[in-house]
């Protein structure tokens, strides 16, 4: 299973060296990767449908309870098949959609990386591992959304998506750490067995909020939804893959996976129902005020995600069954509509639904796919969309409390989604073909083939729901801790309330479709109230934050090293002084200190004279020489206190530093007075205060009892384990060899950078 996850990453790495090969027609070969993975996961259907679970575990950081644990059950199998199956069709579609694009190989690399990250996410049984793959999906989606990097709007959309989902990633990490601490494990399977203890924990609400933060940002729930419409700047294969079947469903997957751990609690269920209902209605209404096909599909996607959150919040067997079915429904029809929109844009160079008409005459297969997807989104029999709509109504009717409110909200949402599906899947193909589109060419089979396959699958699964009932849908419900054994998928449920709600949805939605047409007038109406939208409000806070950051930078990051040092010292003086004032008892027994000798008095006096000379001299060379005197005085102090190694090190470094200073100062202009007496007095007070704080701190440390355990360990084992008689050297080279190696590496990198700057020869036009 680990190889299956890493395959996408390995292919991305391979493209770095063989990218030219995949830029042309051979690029379609890359579709073999998701196809092979799709076949790999298909073979597990019999075992999973029989109630089995496939577990693979690989040791990673066992001391922290972090391992590469992967579990394939009904829930992860459904998502894995969607990721690889739709991924295969998107790879094929991309070969034609981005044909001859100079960065086609790069696009395949990003797409493969994203596919691998999504597989790792849905298969992970360890919370920390899940977080790692979660962040990899955000990073790879950033590259995909911003693929057209020459377009400022694409770059902005990519950054916005990364910022919102990245914030959710931090929330997930915090939630995982707290949950692992409370539950005693990072294994999701083990946490399921501790759900009672977790629910009784005082940290339960905090954990739930953190998990909500991750899921709501990733799955574009209100008020974090606005990043998704902006992400439509990405090429259509990205919109299809990320925003219908994979990335936006990662948050849904997280909620479903966490339901057995955190679900069946009032806070969990109520929050999901409220947030989901707000999101689904809000986004569904927005579809009426959009004329761009991708914009309509984006908001209808947000609304569909809201429906899924709403169903997960209900938490019943019927609701979870409806959610499982609707995941399949939405993936099939929304991926189809995105692919159809991409074909229209590719062939006509337009996505404006107000001018697109009659395209069935020039692209009939595309029109068929769009029509089938539209009726599936509308929930018209015999599509699987009808099954999903019926199950949604059925579970909502069983809600305790105020079912009429929830029925009204879900009914309004379904009606508006029917309207959106018809506008996106039917409107561009009916009516008279405009003259401007008469010369539109019929797309090749690589373009219209994938949407046909997906749309036909929606019909097949609707007519024969048994194909997916036992193999995919019921195992999903079982993975969430419910038993859907008595539930069956079928087109006909008899004459009941659910049927009449479906009929009302179809009739009212169809009337609405013929009554309300997308127009610029509707777009202007919603633009007038754009200032109160979550995006505008958050953008306002973002602007204020930028202004504050600029002010902060001008004050504290103004380019003067002296200012940086002063700021750090003031902070340390304030913090350390406050702690010492409240905790220090100043019980130092000075009789335990060694006596002060005349040699020490002389050396310290010389040291102080050198300090004053550095401060007040007007000669750079004299200042450098005085600094050398200070260094030699410190060397003598080390010698007095039996530290010859430190003295030699100090002597070597100090001598080298003085030489370097002299060489550098030789090239500088004559001495300039850059500070007045007030500045020097301020700096002097600051230096004396910091020195006093350090002195008091050292005295406090000396007054504390000393634990010699570590020192004795090093002294006893330096020669036995490392065969060295110099304990300090052994510690640096052997016991802490990795630290020393990294420090050497940092110094080497810095030296290379300095050498590069010294050798840099800029043209006069590039110099500043």
């Amino acid at each position: 299973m680990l190889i299956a996850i890493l395959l996408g990453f390995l292919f991305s790495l391979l493209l770095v060296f063989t990218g030219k090969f995949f830029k042309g027609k051979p690029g379609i070969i890359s579709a073999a990767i998701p196809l092979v993975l799709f076949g790999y996961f298909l073979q597990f259907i019999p075992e999973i449908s029989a109630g089995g679970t496939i577990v693979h575990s690989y040791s990673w950081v066992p001391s922290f309870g972090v391992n590469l644990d992967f579990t394939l059950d009904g829930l992860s199998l459904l998502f894995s098949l969607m990721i690889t199956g739709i991924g295969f069709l998107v790879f094929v579609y991309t070969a034609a959609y981005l044909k001859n694009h100079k960065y086609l190989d790069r696009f395949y690399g990003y797409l493969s990386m994203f596919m691998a990250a999504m597989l790792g996410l849905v298969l992970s049984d360890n919370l920390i591992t899940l977080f790692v793959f979660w962040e990899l999906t955000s990073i790879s989606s950033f590259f995909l959304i911003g693929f057209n990097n020459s377009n400022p709007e694409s770059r902005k959309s990519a950054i916005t998506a990364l910022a919102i989902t990245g914030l959710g990633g931090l929330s997930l990490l915090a939630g995982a750490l707290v949950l692992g601490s409370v539950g005693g494990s990072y294994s999701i399977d083990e946490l399921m067995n501790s759900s009672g203890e977790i629910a009784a924990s005082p940290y339960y609400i905090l954990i739930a909020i953190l998990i909500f933060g991750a899921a709501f940002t990733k799955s574009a729930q209100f008020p974090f939804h606005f990043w998704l419409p902006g992400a439509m700047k990405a090429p259509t294969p990205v919109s299809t893959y990320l925003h219908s079947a994979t990335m936006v469903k990662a948050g849904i997957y997280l909620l479903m996976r966490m339901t057995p751990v955190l679900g069946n609690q009032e806070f969990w269920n109520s929050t999901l129902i409220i947030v989901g209902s707000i999101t689904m209605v809000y986004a569904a209404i927005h579809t009426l005020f959009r004329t761009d096909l991708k914009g309509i599909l984006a908001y209808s996607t947000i609304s569909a995600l809201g429906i899924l959150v709403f169903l997960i919040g209900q938490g019943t067997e019927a609701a979870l069954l409806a959610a499982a079915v609707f995941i399949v429904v939405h993936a099939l029809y929304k991926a189809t509509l995105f692919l159809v929109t991409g074909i229209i844009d590719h062939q006509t160079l337009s996505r404006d639904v107000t001018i697109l008409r009659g395209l069935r005459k020039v692209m009939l297969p595309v029109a068929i796919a769009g029509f089938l997807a539209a009726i599936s989104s509308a929930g018209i029999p015999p599509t699987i969309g009808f099954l999903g709509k019926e199950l949604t109504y059925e579970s909502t009717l069983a809600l305790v409390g105020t079912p009429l409110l929830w029925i009204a909200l879900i009914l309004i949402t379904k009606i508006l989604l029917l309207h959106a599906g018809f506008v996106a899947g039917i409107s561009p193909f009916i009516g008279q073909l405009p003259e401007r589109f008469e010369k539109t060419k019929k797309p090749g089979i690589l373009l219209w083939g994938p949407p046909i396959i997906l749309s036909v699958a929606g019909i097949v699964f609707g007519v024969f729901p048994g194909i997916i009932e036992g193999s995919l849908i019921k195992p999903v419900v079982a993975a969430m801790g419910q038993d859907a054994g008595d539930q069956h998928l079928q087109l006909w449920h008899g004459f009941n309330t659910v049927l009449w709600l479906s009929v009302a949805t179809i009739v009212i939605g169809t009337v609405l479709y013929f009554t309300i047409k997308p127009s610029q007038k509707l777009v202007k109406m919603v633009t007038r109230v754009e200032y109160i939208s979550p995006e505008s409000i958050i953008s306002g806070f973002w602007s204020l934050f930028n202004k504050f950051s600029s002010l902060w930078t001008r004050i504290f990051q103004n380019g003067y090293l002296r200012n940086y040092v002063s700021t750090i010292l003031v902070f340390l003086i304030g913090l350390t002084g406050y702690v010492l004032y409240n905790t220090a008892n100043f019980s130092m027994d000075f009789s335990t200190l060694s006596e002060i000798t005349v040699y020490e008095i002389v050396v310290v006096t010389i040291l102080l004279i050198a300090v004053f000379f550095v401060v007040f001299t007007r000669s750079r060379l004299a200042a450098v020489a005085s600094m050398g005197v200070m260094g030699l005085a410190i060397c003598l102090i080390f010698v007095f206190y039996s530290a010859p190694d430190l003295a030699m090190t100090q002597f070597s470094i100090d001598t080298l530093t003085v030489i370097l200073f002299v060489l550098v100062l030789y090239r500088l202009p004559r001495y300039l007075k850059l500070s007045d007496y007030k500045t020097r007095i301020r700096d002097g007070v600051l230096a004396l205060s910091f020195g006093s704080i350090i002195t008091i701190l050292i005295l406090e440390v000396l007054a504390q009892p000393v634990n010699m355990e570590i020192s004795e360990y090093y002294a006893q084992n330096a020669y036995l384990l490392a065969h060295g008689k110099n304990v300090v050297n052994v510690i640096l080279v052997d016991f802490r060899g990795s630290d020393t190696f990294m420090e050497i590496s940092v110094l080497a990198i810095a030296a290379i950078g300095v050498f590069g700057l010294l050798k840099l020869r800029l043209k006069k036009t590039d110099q500043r």
Side-chain angles (χ1 to χ4, degrees):
M1 194 176 295
L2 181 62
I3 298 299
I5 295 171
L6 295 179
L7 191 58
F9 292 121
L10 295 174
F11 180 67
S12 299
L13 182 63
L14 177 65
L15 288 174
V16 175
F17 307 99
T18 62
K20 292 183 179 180
F21 176 78
F22 289 91
K23 284 185 178 181
K25 292 182 179 180
I28 197 173
I29 298 175
S30 61
I33 302 295
L35 180 61
V36 169
L37 292 174
F38 183 71
Y40 170 77
F41 288 109
L42 276 178
Q43 67 174 327
F44 295 109
I45 288 181
E47 184 174 351
I48 299 299
S49 60
T53 301
I54 293 92
V55 178
H56 291 270
S57 183
Y58 307 90
S59 180
W60 189 16
V61 193
S63 58
F64 289 103
V66 180
N67 294 306
L68 294 173
D69 297 333
F70 301 108
T71 299
L72 187 66
D73 57 8
L75 182 59
S76 54
L77 177 62
L78 174 62
F79 276 85
S80 297
L81 290 174
M82 287 197 307
I83 293 166
T84 55
I86 295 180
F88 164 68
L89 297 176
V90 169
F91 271 71
V92 172
Y93 182 90
T94 299
Y97 188 84
L98 294 178
K99 183 179 179 181
N100 298 324
H101 195 288
K102 62 179 180 179
Y103 295 131
L104 179 60
D105 58 328
R106 183 184 299 178
F107 186 84
Y108 276 130
Y110 296 154
L111 211 59
S112 299
M113 188 191 310
F114 176 81
M115 178 185 67
M118 276 301 304
L119 283 175
L121 190 157
V122 301
L123 292 170
S124 293
D125 182 61
N126 188 283
L127 286 174
I128 304 301
T129 307
L130 187 149
F131 163 75
V132 171
F133 286 112
W134 183 281
E135 290 299 270
L136 286 174
T137 62
S138 296
I139 295 171
S140 53
S141 66
F142 167 78
F143 291 122
L144 287 168
I145 295 171
F147 181 71
N148 297 321
N149 51 43
S150 59
N151 184 352
E153 292 296 322
S154 294
R155 297 198 299 270
K156 179 182 177 181
S157 299
I159 292 173
T160 301
L162 181 63
I164 298 297
T165 58
L167 182 65
L170 293 176
S171 181
L172 175 62
L173 176 59
L177 293 175
V178 179
L179 182 57
S181 176
V182 173
S185 174
Y186 291 120
S187 170
I188 299 174
D189 184 59
E190 293 180 12
L191 289 172
M192 290 180 186
N193 300 324
S194 306
S195 59
E197 292 82 351
I198 295 170
S201 168
Y203 298 103
Y204 172 80
I205 293 180
L206 174 62
I207 294 170
I209 290 174
L210 292 172
I211 296 298
F212 288 155
F216 292 167
T217 52
K218 201 78 160 183
S219 288
Q221 296 300 290
F222 183 91
F224 307 108
H225 64 280
F226 57 86
W227 71 263
L228 199 151
M232 293 300 127
K233 300 295 181 182
T236 297
V238 176
S239 302
T240 304
Y241 199 33
L242 273 65
H243 307 138
S244 64
T246 52
M247 179 178 171
V248 292
K249 293 237 174 58
I252 302 299
Y253 170 82
L254 180 65
L255 293 176
M256 298 176 84
R257 182 59 78 190
M258 289 291 106
T259 291
V261 179
L262 303 173
N264 298 319
Q265 300 296 322
E266 181 66 24
F267 180 76
W268 176 272
N269 293 349
S270 298
T271 303
L272 293 182
I273 289 175
I274 293 171
V275 173
S277 60
I278 292 173
T279 302
M280 69 185 186
V281 175
Y282 176 87
I285 293 173
H286 265 275
T287 60
L288 297 173
F289 300 93
R290 297 290 179 268
T291 58
D292 182 272
L293 285 174
K294 272 194 171 184
I296 295 171
L297 295 178
Y299 278 101
S300 64
T301 296
I302 297 171
S303 182
L305 294 170
I307 293 174
L308 286 169
V309 172
F310 176 73
L311 291 172
I312 296 170
Q314 295 178 26
T316 62
E317 295 178 8
L320 296 180
L321 182 70
V325 173
F326 190 65
I327 286 174
V328 177
V329 171
H330 181 257
L332 293 177
Y333 82 72
K334 190 55 62 70
T336 301
L337 291 177
F338 268 120
L339 294 176
V340 167
T341 297
I343 296 172
I344 294 173
D345 187 20
H346 188 269
Q347 300 301 111
T348 66
L349 303 179
S350 176
R351 297 198 305 262
D352 190 347
V353 75
T354 62
I355 63 174
L356 293 170
R357 291 287 183 275
L359 293 178
R360 70 187 184 284
K361 297 180 180 180
V362 291
M363 49 179 76
L364 182 60
V366 182
I368 294 172
F371 178 81
L372 294 177
I375 64 172
S376 183
S377 70
I380 297 175
T383 65
I384 190 175
F386 176 73
L387 292 174
K389 178 160 59 73
E390 293 252 309
L391 290 170
T392 301
Y393 284 146
E394 183 179 347
S395 67
T396 306
L397 281 171
L399 266 179
V400 179
T402 54
L404 289 179
L405 172 63
W406 306 124
I407 282 294
L409 293 178
I410 195 69
L411 180 63
I412 293 171
T413 301
K414 289 291 187 179
I415 290 171
L416 294 176
L417 288 183
L418 182 148
H419 176 272
F422 279 12
V423 169
I426 296 178
S427 289
F429 302 105
I430 61 175
Q432 186 66 32
L433 182 68
E435 183 178 349
R436 62 189 295 183
F437 298 136
E438 288 180 353
K439 295 183 180 180
T440 301
K441 295 181 180 179
K442 178 182 176 181
I445 190 173
L446 293 183
L447 283 176
W448 61 259
I452 282 289
I453 293 173
L454 290 170
S455 59
V456 170
I459 301 294
V460 172
F461 292 155
V463 177
F464 306 104
I467 297 176
I468 60 173
E469 178 186 312
S471 58
L472 294 178
I473 303 303
K474 287 188 176 181
V476 171
V477 180
M480 290 188 284
Q482 298 285 354
D483 182 13
D486 296 333
Q487 301 282 342
H488 295 285
L489 303 181
Q490 52 189 14
L491 280 174
W492 180 249
H493 291 273
F495 291 99
N496 51 28
T497 305
V498 172
L499 178 63
W500 298 122
L501 287 172
S502 294
V503 172
T505 302
I506 296 171
V507 172
I508 299 173
T510 304
V511 172
L512 192 68
Y513 168 70
F514 287 107
T515 304
I516 301 179
K517 298 293 184 180
S519 65
Q520 292 300 323
K521 183 179 179 180
L522 291 174
V523 175
K524 292 179 180 178
M525 286 176 59
V526 77
T527 304
R528 292 171 187 168
V529 295
E530 191 70 27
Y531 67 94
I532 61 173
S533 67
E535 181 178 7
S536 298
I537 295 173
I538 293 177
S539 296
F541 281 113
W542 181 262
S543 178
L544 289 175
F545 180 77
N546 278 337
K547 292 179 180 178
F548 172 77
S549 300
S550 299
L551 178 63
W552 184 274
T553 301
R554 287 196 299 270
I555 296 174
F556 295 104
Q557 301 288 326
N558 53 16
Y560 289 99
L561 179 60
R562 180 172 58 191
N563 187 66
Y564 298 163
V565 174
S566 299
T567 303
I568 294 171
L569 291 182
V570 168
F571 176 79
L572 289 176
I573 290 170
L575 181 63
T576 309
Y578 175 80
V579 174
L580 289 176
Y581 179 79
N582 287 278
T583 60
N585 53 24
F586 303 103
S587 59
M588 179 68 194
D589 183 6
F590 290 94
S591 63
T592 60
L593 300 178
S594 60
E595 295 183 1
I596 299 176
T597 65
V598 65
Y599 306 107
E600 295 167 353
I601 295 175
V602 172
V603 171
V604 171
T605 302
I606 295 173
L607 178 63
L608 292 175
I609 294 173
V611 169
F612 280 100
F613 203 83
V614 169
V615 174
F616 293 105
T617 184
R618 296 179 59 85
S619 169
R620 285 202 185 95
L621 290 178
V624 172
S626 299
M627 291 179 62
V629 172
M630 293 165 52
L632 292 175
I634 294 173
C635 288
L636 290 174
I637 292 175
F638 288 151
V639 171
F640 293 155
Y641 286 91
S642 304
D645 287 349
L646 288 177
M648 289 302 299
T649 303
Q650 174 71 21
F651 178 79
S652 303
I653 297 299
D654 191 76
T655 303
L656 180 61
T657 302
V658 170
I659 294 173
L660 290 175
F661 266 119
V662 170
L663 293 175
V664 172
L665 295 177
Y666 181 75
R667 294 287 185 179
L668 293 179
R670 63 184 302 273
Y671 189 84
L672 298 176
K673 185 177 181 181
L674 299 177
S675 61
D676 54 20
Y677 74 96
K678 293 182 179 179
T679 303
R680 296 190 178 193
I681 292 175
R682 182 202 66 189
D683 292 344
V685 171
L686 190 61
L688 289 173
S689 300
F690 186 69
S692 300
I693 289 290
I694 294 300
T695 301
I696 296 171
L697 187 62
I698 291 173
L699 292 176
E700 279 295 307
V701 171
L702 291 175
Q704 301 300 319
V706 180
N707 186 339
M708 303 297 293
E709 183 178 349
I710 296 178
S711 301
E712 292 175 355
Y713 172 82
Y714 284 138
Q716 294 172 3
N717 292 280
Y719 186 77
L720 295 177
L721 298 180
H723 307 289
K725 296 182 179 180
N726 189 310
V727 178
V728 175
N729 290 347
V730 168
I731 292 173
L732 293 175
V733 177
D734 294 281
F735 290 110
R736 294 181 57 187
S738 298
D739 292 349
T740 305
F741 178 75
M742 292 304 297
E743 291 172 0
I744 294 172
S745 301
V746 170
L747 292 174
I749 294 171
I752 293 172
V754 172
F755 180 78
L757 290 174
L758 292 174
K759 291 295 183 180
L760 183 63
R761 297 292 183 268
L762 294 176
K763 298 178 181 179
K764 290 185 177 181
T765 55
D766 297 330
Q767 294 178 355
R768 293 186 178 180

